[in-house]
Amino acid sequence: MEWEEPAIILRLSLHGESSLRATILTQKRGMYHALVHGGRSRRQTGLWQEGSLIMARWKARLPEQLGYLTAELVRPSASFLLDYPLALTLLSSACSLCSEALAEREPHEILFSSLTHFLGALSVSPAKPPVALYLRWELLLLQELGYGLTLDRCAVTGASEGLAYVSPRTGRAVSEEGAGEWKDRLLPLPSFLYDEEAEGRAADWLEGAQLSGYFLQRAVFATHHRPLPAARERLMAALQRAVVASSTGHEGKERV
């Protein structure tokens, strides 16, 4: 058994003295686990990095086996981000969510394409990382897993304008008018989550991360009695620091 296609490296762990166990998200075949012989060698160190886009080659005697992986580097990601903590945290969060939430060998072509786009944008602008784009990607992840939110119109009035909240029970948007006296029980909905032209600011990003994190925890990870990945929690802490920095006039400085 053998195949070759583009893939994103999601996770790497040590295996033996010189090899790695890799988790990758492929373009058409979904998430795969495989062994990488000599993956810790000096010659291969630059290739096997989380977040990198590769051309993966997988081989095994039988389709159900773990298999062996070789690759060619198409585009590194982490190497561009070493001096930018927030960008690196975004990359780590995306890779961790995929590796822990996706079922093995289930195709997710749209998710792969969206993640590839995000990682490319992240590499181009690490000093001002595309946080809004990332958080919209988290909503796509929820959708791919069967828990998509409905953010195009108000669940109460049917209006598509003035959307300000999301019901924590149904995942449907609610307008300011429709919320009424129930607004304290709803989750804030920053406009950048349904408006791709909007970028938002630090406080908006934090609200967006709290919203998507709530549904990721409740719908995806709680069903397996697991918390959100540690990398996702580090992202929340980084966004909280970004809010503090923006309120003290240090917004934009890479200290998060």
Side-chain angles (χ1 to χ4, degrees), residues 132-148:
L133 181 63
Y134 168 80
L135 292 170
R136 289 193 291 265
W137 175 84
E138 284 197 346
L139 297 188
L140 177 62
L141 175 62
L142 278 166
Q143 181 177 315
E144 285 285 295
L145 294 171
Y147 305 105

Side-chain angles (χ1 to χ4, degrees), residues 99-117:
S99 66
E100 296 193 33
L102 299 179
E104 190 175 4
R105 303 190 184 189
E106 288 188 1
H108 290 285
E109 291 189 53
I110 294 175
L111 188 67
F112 175 87
S113 177
S114 180
L115 181 55
T116 301
H117 173 64

Side-chain angles (χ1 to χ4, degrees), residues 56-232:
R57 299 184 186 91
W58 179 87
K59 294 182 180 181
R61 288 200 304 167
L62 298 172
E64 64 270 16
Q65 290 181 324
L66 182 62
Y68 298 96
L69 191 65
T70 58
E72 293 179 6
L73 182 63
V74 176
R75 186 183 68 212
S77 292
S79 60
F80 292 109
L81 311 179
L82 296 179
D83 295 326
Y84 305 99
L86 179 56
L88 199 58
T89 303
L90 288 167
L91 180 146
S92 180
S93 180
C95 290
S96 294
L97 284 173
C98 281
S99 66
E100 296 193 33
L102 299 179
E104 190 175 4
R105 303 190 184 189
E106 288 188 1
H108 290 285
E109 291 189 53
I110 294 175
L111 188 67
F112 175 87
S113 177
S114 180
L115 181 55
T116 301
H117 173 64
F118 164 71
L119 293 176
L122 192 62
S123 298
V124 170
S125 181
K128 294 183 178 180
V131 180
L133 181 63
Y134 168 80
L135 292 170
R136 289 193 291 265
W137 175 84
E138 284 197 346
L139 297 188
L140 177 62
L141 175 62
L142 278 166
Q143 181 177 315
E144 285 285 295
L145 294 171
Y147 305 105
L149 307 186
T150 304
L151 304 181
D152 58 340
R153 60 184 62 253
C154 176
V156 179
T157 66
S160 58
E161 302 293 333
L163 303 178
Y165 304 97
V166 172
S167 166
R169 184 176 63 86
T170 66
R172 300 179 66 184
V174 181
S175 65
E176 188 73 43
E177 178 185 358
E181 62 185 25
W182 303 99
K183 65 176 61 179
D184 291 341
R185 302 186 183 184
L186 304 175
L187 300 170
L189 173 61
S191 62
F192 75 85
L193 286 181
Y194 58 85
D195 179 3
E196 295 190 0
E197 300 299 320
E199 288 298 323
R201 298 180 66 83
D204 304 317
W205 299 337
L206 183 58
E207 287 185 344
Q210 290 168 338
L211 174 64
S212 57
Y214 172 85
F215 287 101
L216 282 167
Q217 175 61 54
R218 192 190 76 170
V220 180
F221 289 91
T223 58
H224 299 288
H225 307 287
R226 291 186 289 133
L228 286 172
R232 181 53 167 73

Side-chain angles (χ1 to χ4, degrees), residues 16-28:
E17 294 184 1
S18 61
S19 297
L20 295 170
R21 181 184 172 107
T23 302
I24 61 173
L25 178 62
T26 69
Q27 183 176 29
K28 296 181 179 180

